[in-house]
Short mmCIF file of all heavy atoms in Angstrom, two decimals:
data_model
loop_
_atom_site.label_atom_id
_atom_site.label_comp_id
_atom_site.label_asym_id
_atom_site.label_seq_id
_atom_site.Cartn_x
_atom_site.Cartn_y
_atom_site.Cartn_z
N PRO A 136 -11.82 29.21 33.24
CA PRO A 136 -12.65 27.89 33.29
C PRO A 136 -12.04 26.84 32.44
O PRO A 136 -11.36 27.08 31.50
CB PRO A 136 -14.03 28.28 32.78
CG PRO A 136 -14.10 29.82 32.94
CD PRO A 136 -12.66 30.27 32.78
N MET A 137 -12.19 25.63 32.91
CA MET A 137 -11.60 24.45 32.19
C MET A 137 -12.57 23.33 31.96
O MET A 137 -13.63 23.13 32.70
CB MET A 137 -10.49 23.92 33.15
CG MET A 137 -9.61 22.82 32.52
SD MET A 137 -8.08 22.49 33.44
CE MET A 137 -8.64 22.46 35.19
N THR A 138 -12.39 22.67 30.80
CA THR A 138 -13.24 21.57 30.39
C THR A 138 -12.37 20.45 30.04
O THR A 138 -11.22 20.64 29.59
CB THR A 138 -14.21 21.98 29.36
OG1 THR A 138 -15.15 20.94 29.13
CG2 THR A 138 -13.52 22.22 28.00
N SER A 139 -12.92 19.17 30.08
CA SER A 139 -12.10 18.05 29.70
C SER A 139 -12.15 17.84 28.19
O SER A 139 -13.19 17.99 27.55
CB SER A 139 -12.52 16.79 30.36
OG SER A 139 -13.84 16.44 30.07
N TYR A 140 -10.99 17.51 27.65
CA TYR A 140 -10.91 17.12 26.19
C TYR A 140 -9.86 16.05 26.10
O TYR A 140 -8.63 16.31 26.18
CB TYR A 140 -10.59 18.39 25.36
CG TYR A 140 -10.45 17.99 23.79
CD1 TYR A 140 -11.58 17.47 23.15
CD2 TYR A 140 -9.26 18.21 23.13
CE1 TYR A 140 -11.50 17.13 21.86
CE2 TYR A 140 -9.23 17.85 21.82
CZ TYR A 140 -10.27 17.33 21.11
OH TYR A 140 -10.15 16.99 19.86
N HIS A 141 -10.24 14.85 25.87
CA HIS A 141 -9.21 13.70 25.98
C HIS A 141 -9.61 12.64 24.83
O HIS A 141 -10.45 12.86 24.00
CB HIS A 141 -9.33 13.04 27.35
CG HIS A 141 -10.70 12.75 27.75
ND1 HIS A 141 -11.46 11.76 27.20
CD2 HIS A 141 -11.49 13.31 28.77
CE1 HIS A 141 -12.66 11.72 27.84
NE2 HIS A 141 -12.71 12.59 28.82
N GLU A 142 -8.81 11.57 24.87
CA GLU A 142 -8.87 10.57 23.83
C GLU A 142 -10.21 9.98 23.64
O GLU A 142 -10.67 9.57 22.51
CB GLU A 142 -7.87 9.46 24.17
CG GLU A 142 -7.75 8.34 23.20
CD GLU A 142 -7.18 8.77 21.76
OE1 GLU A 142 -6.43 9.78 21.80
OE2 GLU A 142 -7.49 8.15 20.81
N PHE A 143 -11.05 9.84 24.70
CA PHE A 143 -12.27 9.16 24.66
C PHE A 143 -13.48 10.08 24.25
O PHE A 143 -14.59 9.62 24.09
CB PHE A 143 -12.53 8.43 25.99
CG PHE A 143 -11.48 7.51 26.35
CD1 PHE A 143 -10.55 7.78 27.33
CD2 PHE A 143 -11.36 6.28 25.66
CE1 PHE A 143 -9.50 6.89 27.63
CE2 PHE A 143 -10.30 5.41 25.88
CZ PHE A 143 -9.39 5.69 26.94
N ASN A 144 -13.26 11.40 24.24
CA ASN A 144 -14.39 12.30 23.83
C ASN A 144 -13.85 13.24 22.70
O ASN A 144 -14.45 14.28 22.48
CB ASN A 144 -14.90 13.02 24.98
CG ASN A 144 -13.97 14.16 25.46
OD1 ASN A 144 -12.74 14.34 25.04
ND2 ASN A 144 -14.34 14.87 26.55
N LYS A 145 -12.76 12.94 22.11
CA LYS A 145 -12.12 13.92 21.16
C LYS A 145 -12.93 14.24 19.95
O LYS A 145 -12.70 15.34 19.38
CB LYS A 145 -10.72 13.33 20.72
CG LYS A 145 -10.77 12.03 19.97
CD LYS A 145 -9.29 11.63 19.61
CE LYS A 145 -9.30 10.23 18.86
NZ LYS A 145 -7.89 9.79 18.67
N TYR A 146 -13.82 13.43 19.53
CA TYR A 146 -14.64 13.75 18.36
C TYR A 146 -15.88 14.53 18.70
O TYR A 146 -16.13 15.56 18.19
CB TYR A 146 -15.03 12.48 17.50
CG TYR A 146 -13.81 11.87 16.98
CD1 TYR A 146 -13.26 10.65 17.46
CD2 TYR A 146 -13.14 12.36 15.88
CE1 TYR A 146 -12.26 10.04 16.94
CE2 TYR A 146 -11.99 11.75 15.31
CZ TYR A 146 -11.59 10.63 15.88
OH TYR A 146 -10.38 9.96 15.38
N ASP A 147 -16.63 14.00 19.59
CA ASP A 147 -17.93 14.64 20.10
C ASP A 147 -17.61 16.02 20.77
O ASP A 147 -18.23 17.00 20.39
CB ASP A 147 -18.72 13.80 20.99
CG ASP A 147 -19.29 12.56 20.31
OD1 ASP A 147 -19.33 12.57 19.06
OD2 ASP A 147 -19.54 11.56 20.96
N LYS A 148 -16.68 16.01 21.57
CA LYS A 148 -16.33 17.27 22.31
C LYS A 148 -15.65 18.27 21.40
O LYS A 148 -15.89 19.44 21.52
CB LYS A 148 -15.27 16.95 23.47
CG LYS A 148 -15.10 18.13 24.45
CD LYS A 148 -16.40 18.42 25.16
CE LYS A 148 -16.17 19.47 26.23
NZ LYS A 148 -15.66 18.84 27.47
N ALA A 149 -14.96 17.83 20.37
CA ALA A 149 -14.41 18.78 19.37
C ALA A 149 -15.53 19.52 18.72
O ALA A 149 -15.34 20.70 18.44
CB ALA A 149 -13.57 17.97 18.41
N ASP A 150 -16.61 18.86 18.32
CA ASP A 150 -17.71 19.57 17.75
C ASP A 150 -18.30 20.65 18.59
O ASP A 150 -18.70 21.71 18.11
CB ASP A 150 -18.81 18.54 17.36
CG ASP A 150 -18.41 17.62 16.23
OD1 ASP A 150 -17.46 18.02 15.41
OD2 ASP A 150 -18.89 16.51 16.20
N LEU A 151 -18.40 20.31 19.93
CA LEU A 151 -18.88 21.39 20.86
C LEU A 151 -17.95 22.53 20.96
O LEU A 151 -18.32 23.71 21.01
CB LEU A 151 -19.12 20.70 22.25
CG LEU A 151 -20.16 19.64 22.36
CD1 LEU A 151 -20.20 19.03 23.79
CD2 LEU A 151 -21.54 20.29 22.09
N LEU A 152 -16.63 22.24 20.97
CA LEU A 152 -15.58 23.30 21.08
C LEU A 152 -15.63 24.17 19.82
O LEU A 152 -15.41 25.35 19.84
CB LEU A 152 -14.29 22.72 21.31
CG LEU A 152 -14.03 22.02 22.64
CD1 LEU A 152 -12.69 21.37 22.78
CD2 LEU A 152 -14.22 23.04 23.86
N ILE A 153 -15.88 23.53 18.67
CA ILE A 153 -15.91 24.28 17.37
C ILE A 153 -17.08 25.27 17.43
O ILE A 153 -16.98 26.41 17.06
CB ILE A 153 -16.07 23.33 16.23
CG1 ILE A 153 -14.89 22.45 15.91
CG2 ILE A 153 -16.51 24.05 14.95
CD1 ILE A 153 -13.65 23.28 15.47
N GLU A 154 -18.23 24.78 17.96
CA GLU A 154 -19.38 25.75 18.14
C GLU A 154 -19.07 26.93 18.98
O GLU A 154 -19.50 28.08 18.67
CB GLU A 154 -20.56 24.99 18.75
CG GLU A 154 -21.14 23.89 17.81
CD GLU A 154 -22.30 23.15 18.50
OE1 GLU A 154 -22.69 23.48 19.63
OE2 GLU A 154 -22.75 22.10 17.86
N LYS A 155 -18.30 26.69 20.08
CA LYS A 155 -17.88 27.80 20.98
C LYS A 155 -16.96 28.80 20.23
O LYS A 155 -17.10 29.95 20.36
CB LYS A 155 -17.26 27.28 22.21
CG LYS A 155 -18.24 26.51 23.15
CD LYS A 155 -17.48 26.01 24.44
CE LYS A 155 -18.47 25.22 25.31
NZ LYS A 155 -19.51 26.10 25.90
N LEU A 156 -16.12 28.19 19.50
CA LEU A 156 -15.14 29.00 18.69
C LEU A 156 -15.90 29.87 17.66
O LEU A 156 -15.67 31.07 17.47
CB LEU A 156 -14.14 28.20 17.97
CG LEU A 156 -13.04 27.51 18.86
CD1 LEU A 156 -12.35 26.41 18.20
CD2 LEU A 156 -11.99 28.61 19.34
N GLN A 157 -16.86 29.27 17.05
CA GLN A 157 -17.72 29.91 15.95
C GLN A 157 -18.48 31.12 16.66
O GLN A 157 -18.83 32.05 16.01
CB GLN A 157 -18.58 28.95 15.25
CG GLN A 157 -17.80 27.99 14.33
CD GLN A 157 -18.66 26.98 13.76
OE1 GLN A 157 -19.59 26.46 14.40
NE2 GLN A 157 -18.30 26.48 12.51
N ALA A 158 -18.85 30.79 17.91
CA ALA A 158 -19.61 31.84 18.66
C ALA A 158 -18.82 32.95 19.15
O ALA A 158 -19.24 33.97 19.77
CB ALA A 158 -20.36 31.25 19.79
N GLY A 159 -17.41 32.87 18.95
CA GLY A 159 -16.55 33.97 19.28
C GLY A 159 -15.63 33.69 20.48
O GLY A 159 -14.87 34.65 20.87
N GLN A 160 -15.70 32.57 21.11
CA GLN A 160 -14.90 32.36 22.25
C GLN A 160 -13.42 31.88 21.84
O GLN A 160 -13.36 31.25 20.74
CB GLN A 160 -15.52 31.19 23.13
CG GLN A 160 -16.74 31.60 23.85
CD GLN A 160 -17.12 30.49 24.92
OE1 GLN A 160 -16.29 29.93 25.47
NE2 GLN A 160 -18.42 30.32 25.16
N ASN A 161 -12.53 32.35 22.55
CA ASN A 161 -11.15 31.87 22.31
C ASN A 161 -10.87 30.74 23.28
O ASN A 161 -11.23 30.81 24.47
CB ASN A 161 -10.16 33.01 22.67
CG ASN A 161 -10.21 34.11 21.64
OD1 ASN A 161 -10.37 33.93 20.45
ND2 ASN A 161 -10.24 35.40 22.12
N ILE A 162 -10.25 29.73 22.69
CA ILE A 162 -10.10 28.37 23.48
C ILE A 162 -8.59 27.98 23.44
O ILE A 162 -7.99 28.02 22.35
CB ILE A 162 -10.95 27.29 22.97
CG1 ILE A 162 -12.46 27.64 23.09
CG2 ILE A 162 -10.64 25.92 23.69
CD1 ILE A 162 -13.35 26.71 22.52
N ALA A 163 -8.04 27.61 24.55
CA ALA A 163 -6.78 27.02 24.61
C ALA A 163 -6.78 25.55 24.90
O ALA A 163 -7.55 25.05 25.77
CB ALA A 163 -5.83 27.73 25.73
N VAL A 164 -5.98 24.77 24.21
CA VAL A 164 -5.97 23.31 24.47
C VAL A 164 -4.59 23.08 25.11
O VAL A 164 -3.51 23.54 24.67
CB VAL A 164 -6.03 22.51 23.09
CG1 VAL A 164 -5.76 21.08 23.35
CG2 VAL A 164 -7.40 22.69 22.48
N ILE A 165 -4.62 22.24 26.20
CA ILE A 165 -3.38 21.84 26.84
C ILE A 165 -3.45 20.37 27.05
O ILE A 165 -4.49 19.78 27.23
CB ILE A 165 -3.14 22.57 28.23
CG1 ILE A 165 -4.26 22.38 29.21
CG2 ILE A 165 -2.90 24.08 27.99
CD1 ILE A 165 -4.04 22.93 30.59
N THR A 166 -2.25 19.71 26.95
CA THR A 166 -2.12 18.33 27.27
C THR A 166 -1.60 18.09 28.71
O THR A 166 -1.29 19.09 29.30
CB THR A 166 -1.20 17.65 26.23
OG1 THR A 166 -1.19 16.28 26.38
CG2 THR A 166 0.19 18.17 26.27
N ASP A 167 -1.53 16.87 29.13
CA ASP A 167 -0.97 16.63 30.46
C ASP A 167 0.48 17.16 30.59
O ASP A 167 0.84 17.70 31.67
CB ASP A 167 -0.93 15.20 30.78
CG ASP A 167 -2.37 14.71 31.12
OD1 ASP A 167 -3.27 15.47 31.34
OD2 ASP A 167 -2.55 13.42 31.20
N ALA A 168 1.22 17.11 29.57
CA ALA A 168 2.58 17.59 29.62
C ALA A 168 3.13 17.71 28.11
O ALA A 168 2.91 16.71 27.41
CB ALA A 168 3.50 16.66 30.41
N GLY A 169 3.64 18.83 27.74
CA GLY A 169 4.23 18.92 26.41
C GLY A 169 3.25 19.67 25.57
O GLY A 169 2.55 20.53 25.92
N THR A 170 3.52 19.36 24.19
CA THR A 170 2.83 20.21 23.14
C THR A 170 1.54 19.59 22.63
O THR A 170 1.67 18.34 22.11
CB THR A 170 3.83 20.44 22.02
OG1 THR A 170 4.95 21.15 22.49
CG2 THR A 170 3.11 21.36 20.92
N PRO A 171 0.40 20.14 22.73
CA PRO A 171 -0.82 19.52 22.20
C PRO A 171 -0.73 19.28 20.68
O PRO A 171 -0.06 19.98 19.94
CB PRO A 171 -1.87 20.64 22.42
CG PRO A 171 -1.26 21.57 23.45
CD PRO A 171 0.23 21.55 23.25
N GLY A 172 -1.40 18.19 20.27
CA GLY A 172 -1.40 17.78 18.81
C GLY A 172 -0.32 16.81 18.54
O GLY A 172 -0.35 16.14 17.39
N ILE A 173 0.67 16.57 19.40
CA ILE A 173 1.69 15.53 19.22
C ILE A 173 1.25 14.35 20.07
O ILE A 173 1.38 14.32 21.25
CB ILE A 173 3.09 16.10 19.68
CG1 ILE A 173 3.49 17.20 18.79
CG2 ILE A 173 4.10 14.89 19.53
CD1 ILE A 173 4.86 17.81 19.13
N SER A 174 0.75 13.34 19.34
CA SER A 174 0.25 12.12 19.95
C SER A 174 -0.75 12.33 21.03
O SER A 174 -0.79 11.79 22.11
CB SER A 174 1.45 11.39 20.63
OG SER A 174 1.09 10.09 21.01
N ASP A 175 -1.72 13.30 20.77
CA ASP A 175 -2.85 13.54 21.60
C ASP A 175 -4.01 14.11 20.92
O ASP A 175 -3.87 14.48 19.69
CB ASP A 175 -2.48 14.29 22.83
CG ASP A 175 -2.42 15.78 22.63
OD1 ASP A 175 -2.93 16.33 21.54
OD2 ASP A 175 -1.95 16.60 23.47
N PRO A 176 -5.17 14.23 21.51
CA PRO A 176 -6.45 14.67 20.79
C PRO A 176 -6.42 16.05 20.16
O PRO A 176 -7.29 16.35 19.36
CB PRO A 176 -7.47 14.54 21.86
CG PRO A 176 -6.95 13.66 22.85
CD PRO A 176 -5.46 13.89 22.90
N GLY A 177 -5.43 16.91 20.54
CA GLY A 177 -5.36 18.21 19.96
C GLY A 177 -5.29 18.21 18.44
O GLY A 177 -5.67 19.14 17.81
N GLU A 178 -4.76 17.11 17.93
CA GLU A 178 -4.58 16.92 16.50
C GLU A 178 -5.98 16.95 15.81
O GLU A 178 -6.19 17.52 14.76
CB GLU A 178 -3.92 15.57 16.21
CG GLU A 178 -3.75 15.16 14.77
CD GLU A 178 -3.17 13.79 14.57
OE1 GLU A 178 -2.99 13.11 15.58
OE2 GLU A 178 -2.91 13.41 13.40
#
């Protein structure tokens, strides 16, 4: 399953993803191309 995580929801959505991680889910972040966290919301 996939969910959106982008520049315009990076703070509010991050809190929801943190809750899922705390509940035991493993989550992968991917960017459109390249390595997440480099000039994108993964940071």
Side-chain angles (χ1 to χ4, degrees):
M137 186 166 46
T138 188
S139 64
Y140 180 59
H141 48 72
E142 183 66 25
F143 302 105
N144 70 356
K145 62 183 178 183
Y146 294 108
D147 293 339
K148 192 61 172 282
D150 292 334
L151 293 175
L152 294 174
I153 291 293
E154 291 178 6
K155 292 180 181 295
L156 288 162
Q157 291 172 328
Q160 290 191 32
N161 293 317
I162 298 175
V164 174
I165 59 175
T166 184
D167 283 349
T170 302
I173 297 179
S174 192
D175 83 9
E178 175 185 8

